[in-house]
């Protein structure tokens, strides 16, 4: 049976997006017409995921409500003949079941994944971070390719990477590819990891290949998560568990994002604003007029 389970951590406070995230989860911020987390779920569904297990936290109930069927709203739209708006709710019928568990203490991403262990049980699974969209309008097939690679190559983990500027490595988990200690493997390659490090200093970084929010794991990762202590920022880091897996002989493969599959990070205002602009400019209904408006604004700018 192929992998059809994804754990989606959405418990973080989103402090870098205050005040927008004071009472609203960052995963529910709109990027164009949809909230971030809807793109994430749609991307997973098109890659064959049928069960999504959210690891939530305080103040995240609106995520659960968003994926619920709202019968009252549906019949109101139907009775008032608003077929177009009704079509916007078609995601309610995605062929996906949802589960929710809470991370009751904020002890880091690794700890959030560990919170799902008893529900995920003993099968391989995807981890997709709920604040990152892959590809414009989440059209990426990266998770499907990761699952295929994982199964074909009998890996213990497959992680997706994107190239970042050397000065930005401090924000990410960074790969140490097996073939070379520095520098990146060839475009579009699947590569094996000799190590991985969370948020290194640029002068100590083994490469500029950054973990890009999607992983596939054997359930053995839970043992490694239990074994690692607090890492960067005093938190239980998923990256440290992967490093331990590699140290103990595990086969961990990296897969690069294709050039048209860039990662949209909704964790800070700069990249959130950029994502919003890109998605709205690409919108079939509103994009062209918005483009003209922006061009006018830019032409008038001092
Ligand atoms: C997390 C991971 C990091 C990864 C990043 C983006 O960091 O710890 O390894 O590169 O997500 O996928 P965070 O953004 O939570 O600081």
């Amino acid at each position: 049976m192929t992998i059809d389970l994804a754990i989606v951590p959405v418990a973080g406070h989103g402090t870098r997006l205050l005040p927008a995230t004071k009472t609203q989860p960052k995963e529910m911020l709109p990027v164009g017409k949809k909230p971030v987390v809807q793109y994430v779920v749609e991307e997973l569904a098109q890659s064959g995921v049928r069960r999504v297990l959210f690891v939530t936290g305080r103040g995240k109930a609106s995520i659960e409500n968003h994926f619920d069927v709202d019968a009252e709203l549906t019949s109101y739209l139907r009775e008032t003949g608003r077929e177009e708006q009704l079509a916007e709710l078609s995601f309610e019928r995605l062929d996906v079941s949802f589960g929710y568990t809470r991370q009751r203490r904020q002890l880091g991403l690794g700890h959030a994944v560990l919170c799902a262990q008893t529900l995920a049980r003993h099968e391989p699974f995807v981890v997709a971070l709920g604040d990152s969209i892959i590809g414009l309008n989440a059209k990426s097939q990266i998770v499907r390719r990761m699952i295929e690679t994982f199964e074909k190559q009998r890996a213990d983990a497959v992680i997706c990477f994107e190239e970042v500027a050397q000065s930005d490595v401090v924000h990410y988990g960074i790969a140490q590819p097996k073939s070379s200690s520095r520098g990146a493997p060839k475009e579009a390659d699947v590569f094996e990891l000799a190590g991985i490090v969370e948020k290194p200093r640029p002068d100590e970084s083994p490469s500029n290949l950054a973990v890009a929010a999607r992983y596939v794991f054997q359930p053995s990762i839970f043992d490694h998560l239990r074994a690692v202590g607090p890492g960067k920022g005093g938190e239980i880091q998923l990256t440290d568990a992967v490093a331990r897996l590699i140290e103990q002989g595990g086969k961990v493969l990296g897969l690069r994002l294709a050039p048209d599959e860039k990662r949209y990070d909704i964790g800070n205002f700069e990249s959130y604003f950029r994502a919003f602009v890109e998605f709205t400019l690409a919108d079939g209904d509103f994009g062209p007029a918005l483009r003209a408006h922006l061009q006018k604004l830019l032409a008038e700018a001092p």
Side-chain angles (χ1 to χ4, degrees), residues 16-82:
R16 283 178 294 165
L17 291 163
L18 281 169
T21 51
K22 187 177 172 216
T23 59
Q24 163 175 242
K26 65 176 167 179
E27 298 81 6
M28 286 301 292
L29 291 176
V31 178
K33 288 178 185 165
K34 302 176 191 175
V36 180
V37 72
Q38 186 179 332
Y39 290 105
V40 175
V41 167
E42 287 174 349
E43 177 206 323
L44 291 170
Q46 85 200 355
S47 283
V49 168
R50 292 290 166 263
R51 291 173 294 150
V52 170
L53 182 50
F54 284 109
V55 181
T56 72
R58 208 174 290 272
K60 301 280 180 165
S62 56
I63 296 176
E64 209 167 319
N65 293 336
H66 187 70
F67 291 104
D68 201 5
V69 173
D70 190 336
E72 208 175 303
L73 178 60
T74 303
S75 49
Y76 168 74
L77 293 174
R78 188 160 292 137
E79 281 158 20
T80 51
R82 297 166 204 228

Side-chain angles (χ1 to χ4, degrees), residues 11-172:
H13 286 316
T15 47
R16 283 178 294 165
L17 291 163
L18 281 169
T21 51
K22 187 177 172 216
T23 59
Q24 163 175 242
K26 65 176 167 179
E27 298 81 6
M28 286 301 292
L29 291 176
V31 178
K33 288 178 185 165
K34 302 176 191 175
V36 180
V37 72
Q38 186 179 332
Y39 290 105
V40 175
V41 167
E42 287 174 349
E43 177 206 323
L44 291 170
Q46 85 200 355
S47 283
V49 168
R50 292 290 166 263
R51 291 173 294 150
V52 170
L53 182 50
F54 284 109
V55 181
T56 72
R58 208 174 290 272
K60 301 280 180 165
S62 56
I63 296 176
E64 209 167 319
N65 293 336
H66 187 70
F67 291 104
D68 201 5
V69 173
D70 190 336
E72 208 175 303
L73 178 60
T74 303
S75 49
Y76 168 74
L77 293 174
R78 188 160 292 137
E79 281 158 20
T80 51
R82 297 166 204 228
E83 292 302 321
E84 243 174 70
Q85 286 155 15
L86 198 56
E88 297 292 357
L89 296 181
S90 61
F91 75 94
E92 288 181 348
R93 294 188 298 277
L94 277 174
D95 185 14
V96 173
S97 318
F98 296 98
Y100 300 88
T101 188
R102 295 270 287 236
Q103 182 185 23
R104 287 181 284 182
R105 286 183 301 156
Q106 294 275 316
L107 299 179
L109 175 60
H111 176 259
V113 173
L114 202 45
C115 290
Q117 179 174 17
T118 47
L119 297 167
R121 300 176 66 86
H122 309 294
E123 55 184 305
F125 58 91
V126 173
V127 171
L129 307 191
D131 64 357
S132 292
I133 303 168
I134 311 288
L136 188 64
N137 288 323
K139 289 293 175 235
S140 160
Q141 295 284 327
I142 186 70
V143 169
R144 185 188 295 274
R145 296 208 305 281
M146 290 169 73
I147 291 173
E148 282 166 8
T149 305
F150 181 89
E151 289 174 344
K152 234 185 262 165
Q153 308 224 24
R154 297 177 182 275
D156 295 297
V158 174
I159 301 173
C160 127
F161 289 91
E162 64 177 340
E163 240 175 279
V164 297
Q166 196 69 16
S167 53
D168 285 339
V169 294
V170 288
H171 302 301
Y172 301 102

